[in-house]
């Protein structure tokens, strides 16, 4: 029997350390709070430093203004630098590595459109775009601008990012038409 503890993890009645369970890109993980993960550990640190998901970037040093650390938590774009790992107990996390494994068209579209220069912002933009296309498969230009408004590209590749996102929407539509999704 377990119950939520003060730090968001679960603690059983014997007083053993709380644990958090996350599903990351379809794989299930369990971490002991206070051992594997501290109550103050940011989700970004857990994913990048512990699980080796190096797509996660930190362009604004955790100020919450750049969006380069964006991941999806239960389908919602989330700043992993400002999110405590223990608060994600029981949740599903998606990163660019998961999209690469599933062959999501956003990756090819970003590449074909040269939608990056240094590439530091790219994973965050791709995850915001993924969330947008999940909830709106046929976004207008304005929808895309709004959907990606939480992300910043210091290299100024915005026009290509918008084109890539629209191209990925078309590719997904073609797949659905062909019964692929
Ligand atoms: S690193 Fe900039 S918002 Fe998270
Ligand atoms: S490609 Fe360099 S910050 Fe966006």
């Amino acid at each position: 029997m377990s119950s939520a503890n003060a730090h968001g993890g679960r603690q059983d009645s014997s007083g053993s350390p709380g644990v958090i369970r996350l599903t990351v890109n379809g794989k299930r993980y369990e971490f002991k709070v206070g051992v594997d993960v501290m109550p103050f550990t940011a989700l970004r640190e857990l994913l990048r430093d512990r699980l080796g998901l190096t797509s996660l970037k930190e362009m604004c040093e955790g100020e919450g203004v750049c969006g380069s650390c964006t991941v999806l938590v239960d389908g919602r774009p989330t700043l992993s630098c400002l999110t405590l790992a223990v608060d994600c107990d029981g949740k599903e996390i998606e990163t660019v590595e998961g999209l690469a494994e599933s062959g999501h068209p956003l990756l090819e579209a970003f590449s074909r459109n040269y939608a990056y220069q240094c590439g530091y912002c790219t994973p965050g933009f791709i995850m915001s775009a993924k969330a947008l296309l999940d909830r709106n498969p046929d976004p207008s230009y304005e929808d895309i601008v709004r959907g990606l408004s939480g992300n910043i590209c210091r290299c100024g590749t915005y026009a290509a990012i918008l084109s890539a996102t629209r191209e990925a929407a078309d590719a997904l539509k073609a797949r659905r038409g062909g019964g692929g999704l």
Side-chain angles (χ1 to χ4, degrees), residues 44 57-70 79-82:
R44 179 190 169 279
K57 300 293 186 283
E58 193 173 74
M59 197 156 65
C60 70
E61 299 180 352
E63 293 289 321
V65 296
C66 75
S68 67
C69 63
T70 302
L79 299 178
S80 61
C81 71
L82 293 184

Side-chain angles (χ1 to χ4, degrees), residues 59 65-68 70 72 77 79 106 110 115 121-136 139-154 157-169:
M59 197 156 65
V65 296
C66 75
S68 67
T70 302
L72 304 192
L79 299 178
L106 270 166
F110 266 66
C121 69
T122 309
F125 268 104
I126 288 177
M127 296 317 296
S128 292
K130 162 75 163 52
L132 169 67
L133 298 181
D134 283 349
R135 66 176 184 272
N136 180 0
S140 66
Y141 179 84
E142 289 73 22
D143 292 335
I144 298 173
V145 170
R146 234 186 339 265
L148 303 184
S149 61
N151 295 74
I152 291 173
C153 175
R154 290 184 177 177
T157 57
Y158 292 108
I161 289 169
L162 299 179
S163 301
T165 303
R166 186 54 241 184
E167 189 175 296

Side-chain angles (χ1 to χ4, degrees), residues 2 7 13 20-21 26 28 33 38-39 45 53 65 72 83 88 91 93 106 112 127 129 156 176-177:
S2 67
H7 303 304
S13 50
I20 57 168
R21 296 182 180 89
R28 307 182 81 165
V33 178
M38 294 297 135
E45 287 174 58
L53 299 174
V65 296
L72 304 192
T83 302
C88 296
K91 300 196 187 291
I93 319 270
L106 270 166
R112 279 168 46 87
M127 296 317 296
R176 280 193 301 273

